[in-house]
Each structure stands twice: as structure tokens, then as C-alpha cells.
């Protein structure tokens, strides 16, 4: 609740919008999309970034904040750092989307490109934080960030009080841990399902091992979820609250991106469509008669990646149609 008050007026309260065509395709009574891609920087990551920065004491604000991010956490810190007058330095992997790099710089943040993977960028960011005495703000395993992401759960329960199933995409686990904490505290009967790309199953690996471990990361449309190791705090929180964890293929993510574009004219990144992908693919169990909510939590997708995803989705439709005709 404290996090929500800190964010009030600075982060949008986004709508949960009915998606009747997608509900029919999924076989549920109602499907509502939590449209957090409507945040000014195009991602839910604004919530955690704004909360973490707001909690910095005055002297820490003067020394600035440093973070490693592939893009959306970086955008959130850049925007709210500028709003609060806090210098922000962002370390992004060399392969970070050019549009995100340029936008972070336009928002006034200093951007450093370092390392091929997120883990390499994180190591460099931590080193810079030590050298400059700045505050390191982790993109998902920071308690203030987790609390900020949890504000989405409060909004969902207020907007959809009859929610039966909540499906949440997971990479490092910040959104999942925050939202699951809120939902299971206030409405423990709501079934919470976590979804991750099969190409980056770090949360599944953490649950199997009983603690975070490194998992292989392959190329994926859901680059925002492509994390090799889940967070320690996020795993500890989410492991006791989540009812089920499922994975989705690249074809299923591409299909969800295509269907969102066709039904709502919304262009989202793969990570933003991953929860819907699991619903449309029938991965979340029996939802007939259920009211289902899925966050659509990121719209910062490169045009070339979006084009490839649409092509993959259309190819899947063609293959399915040919298969039906053959029968």
C-alpha cells in the first residue's frame, strides 16, 4: 500500500480490458488484459523503478543510481530519475535494442554498453556503483522494485474482483513475486500461474533445484524474459505462492503477438505476450467458465523483431490450415 501511494500520480493506473475474441479462442468465460504497456515508457517496469528511486535518501540521490538492464528497467529508471533529479547510469548489453538505448539517452540517463549478456552488464554495473558510491538498483531482485511491481496486483483485484486465474510471465521474477504477494494475501483463492519461455526457463530450474541456478538461454522473441538466473528474493517469494509454472514455445509466443495485433491492433514485445501465449495454447489448465487476467506488460519491440514474430505466427496459421484440410 505504501508503494502505491508513492507511485500515485507518477505511474499510470492502467485498465483491464475485455478481450472477447481471445476468450473464445482460449475457451474461458472472460479474458481481461491488464494493459500495462500503456505506461509512458511502454512497460510495467516503471512501477518498480519509480518506487526504488523514491525510497533513496537524499545523500544517496545526490550520488546517483546505477543499474544493468536490457531495456525496460532502464527506461523506467531514466524517466523517473529525470523526474526526481537523480543522476542515472545504465549499463546495457551490447545487443540491447537500439531504440531503447536512444530513448534512455533522450531521457537524460548516461548509457554504458558492456558485455554480451545481462550477467556481464550486471557485473560491470556493480563495479561502477562501488567505484562511484552510487546506489545499485537491481531490475528484479530488489525489495523496493518487487513492491513497486506488486502495485499492479492491487489494481487487478480492484478492476476484476471476480478474477479466478491470474497468468503472469516470469523472467527474473520481480513482477511475479510482487503481484503474487498481493493477490495471495488479499485473495488466496485466485490461482496464479507463472509462464516463461522454453528458451529461458530459469524459474523452472530454480524451483527444481530449490534455489536459483544458471539455466541455458536461447534466442527468444521474449528477450525481456531471457534471464539465465532467477533472483534469490523473487524465487523465495514466488515459490511458495505460485500454483503452477508452465513454459511456452517461440511459435506460441509469436502466435500471441499476432493475435494481439489482429484483435486489438496492439504491437507488443514477446515478453508482453508470453502470459497470453500460455492461455491461448491451453497451458494453464481448465479455464472453462473462469475469469482470467493476463498482464500485457511491454510494448518496446523492434520493428524487425515484430515483423519476424508476425511472419512466424502467420506461418503457423497456414500450417494449421493445411493440416485441417488434410484431415
Amino acid at each position: 500500500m505504501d508503494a502505491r501511494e508513492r507511485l500515485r500520480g507518477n505511474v499510470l493506473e492502467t485498465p483491464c480490458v475485455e478481450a472477447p475474441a481471445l476468450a473464445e479462442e482460449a475457451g474461458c468465460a472472460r479474458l481481461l488484459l491488464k494493459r500495462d504497456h500503456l505506461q509512458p515508457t511502454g512497460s510495467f517496469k516503471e512501477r518498480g523503478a519509480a518506487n526504488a528511486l523514491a525510497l533513496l535518501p537524499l545523500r544517496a540521490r545526490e550520488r546517483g543510481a546505477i543499474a544493468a538492464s536490457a531495456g525496460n528497467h532502464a527506461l523506467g529508471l531514466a524517466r523517473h530519475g529525470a523526474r526526481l533529479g537523480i543522476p542515472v547510469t545504465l549499463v546495457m548489453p551490447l545487443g540491447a535494442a537500439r531504440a531503447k538505448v536512444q530513448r534512455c539517452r533522450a531521457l537524460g540517463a548516461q548509457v554504458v554498453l558492456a558485455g554480451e549478456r545481462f550477467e556481464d552488464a550486471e557485473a560491470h554495473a556493480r563495479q561502477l556503483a562501488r567505484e562511484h558510491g552510487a546506489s545499485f538498483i537491481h531490475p528484479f531482485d530488489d525489495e523496493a522494485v518487487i513492491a513497486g511491481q506488486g502495485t499492479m496486483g492491487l489494481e487487478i483485484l480492484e478492476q476484476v474482483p471476480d478474477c479466478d486465474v491470474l497468468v503472469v510471465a516470469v523472467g527474473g521474477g520481480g513482477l511475479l513475486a510482487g503481484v503474487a504477494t498481493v493477490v495471495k494475501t488479499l485473495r488466496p483463492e485466485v490461482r496464479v500461474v507463472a509462464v516463461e519461455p522454453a528458451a529461458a526457463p530459469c524459474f523452472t530450474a530454480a524451483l527444481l533445484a530449490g534455489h536459483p541456478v544458471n539455466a541455458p538461454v536461447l534466442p527468444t522473441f521474449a528477450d525481456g524474459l531471457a534471464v539465465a538466473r532467477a533472483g534469490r528474493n523473487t524465487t523465495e517469494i514466488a515459490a511458495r505462492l505460485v500454483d503452477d509454472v508452465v513454459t511456452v514455445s517461440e511459435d506460441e509466443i509469436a502466435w500471441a503477438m499476432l493475435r494481439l495485433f489482429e484483435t486489438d491492433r496492439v504491437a507488443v514485445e514477446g515478453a508482453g505476450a508470453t502470459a497470453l501465449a500460455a492461455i491461448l495454447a491451453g497451458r494453464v489448465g481448465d479455464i472453462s467458465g473462469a475469469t482470467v487476467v493476463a498482464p500485457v506488460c511491454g510494448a518496446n519491440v523492434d520493428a524487425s523483431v515484430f515483423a519476424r514474430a508476425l511472419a512466424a505466427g502467420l506461418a503457423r496459421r497456414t500450417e494449421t490450415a493445411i493440416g485441417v484440410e488434410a484431415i
Side-chain angles (χ1 to χ4, degrees):
M1 293 297 185
D2 290 342
R4 190 177 196 185
E5 287 306 310
R6 279 189 290 272
L7 300 190
R8 196 178 301 278
N10 299 311
V11 171
L12 291 182
E13 181 172 314
T14 54
C16 277
V17 179
E18 294 268 5
L22 297 176
E24 182 177 358
E25 183 176 336
C28 58
R30 298 172 69 209
L31 174 59
L32 296 101
L33 305 178
K34 176 61 171 170
R35 303 280 288 269
D36 231 51
H37 65 283
L38 296 175
Q39 295 293 347
T41 61
S43 166
F44 77 95
K45 290 279 190 176
E46 282 209 32
R47 297 174 181 269
N51 193 50
L53 288 173
L55 285 170
L56 290 179
L58 179 60
R59 187 163 297 180
R61 292 187 180 202
E62 293 171 350
R63 290 194 294 264
I66 292 180
S69 170
N72 287 335
H73 179 61
L75 286 166
L77 286 174
R79 176 173 182 262
H80 291 283
R83 177 178 62 82
L84 294 168
I86 300 173
V88 170
T89 298
L90 304 165
V91 182
M92 304 174 75
L94 294 170
R98 183 178 300 178
K100 292 179 183 180
V101 173
Q102 292 174 340
R103 192 168 178 197
C104 285
R105 286 175 172 154
L107 287 168
Q110 179 182 354
V111 177
V112 177
L113 299 178
E116 297 292 337
R117 305 173 305 153
F118 167 76
E119 291 72 22
D120 302 325
E122 180 184 356
H124 189 66
R126 288 186 182 277
Q127 179 183 339
L128 289 176
R130 288 191 295 269
E131 291 175 356
H132 298 281
S135 298
F136 177 79
I137 300 179
H138 198 281
F140 51 81
D141 210 30
D142 180 288
E143 291 183 0
V145 168
I146 294 169
Q149 318 303 29
T151 61
M152 185 194 293
L154 289 170
E155 293 176 18
I156 288 171
L157 293 183
E158 290 172 356
Q159 294 166 344
V160 193
D162 60 338
C163 174
D164 298 308
V165 182
L166 176 61
V167 186
V168 184
V170 57
L175 178 64
L176 178 64
V179 169
T181 297
V182 170
V183 170
K184 286 296 190 180
T185 299
L186 299 178
R187 289 278 309 283
E189 71 276 15
V190 174
R191 187 159 68 92
V192 177
V193 180
V195 187
E196 60 186 348
C202 71
F203 188 64
T204 298
L207 292 182
L208 290 173
H211 56 85
V213 294
N214 287 336
V217 177
L218 301 175
T220 173
F221 288 123
D223 61 295
L225 305 178
V227 178
R229 190 183 186 94
R232 178 180 58 82
N233 292 324
T234 58
T235 298
E236 182 180 334
I237 294 168
R240 56 186 169 80
L241 297 174
V242 172
D243 296 289
D244 199 6
V245 182
V246 300
T247 60
V248 288
S249 70
E250 292 304 294
D251 280 351
E252 288 162 348
I253 294 172
W255 178 251
M257 294 171 73
L258 173 64
R259 293 298 290 134
L260 275 169
F261 182 71
E262 290 179 330
T263 59
D264 283 5
R265 288 296 181 262
V266 176
V268 301
E269 55 192 276
T274 294
L276 177 63
I279 296 168
L280 296 182
R283 303 263 186 237
V284 299
D286 183 11
I287 54 175
S288 57
T291 295
V292 182
V293 177
V296 178
C297 48
N300 294 313
V301 59
D302 279 359
S304 60
V305 175
F306 189 61
R308 285 194 290 108
L310 294 188
L314 290 169
R316 173 178 171 165
R317 172 179 286 153
T318 300
E319 291 168 1
T320 301
I322 291 174
V324 171
E325 289 178 2
I327 295 173

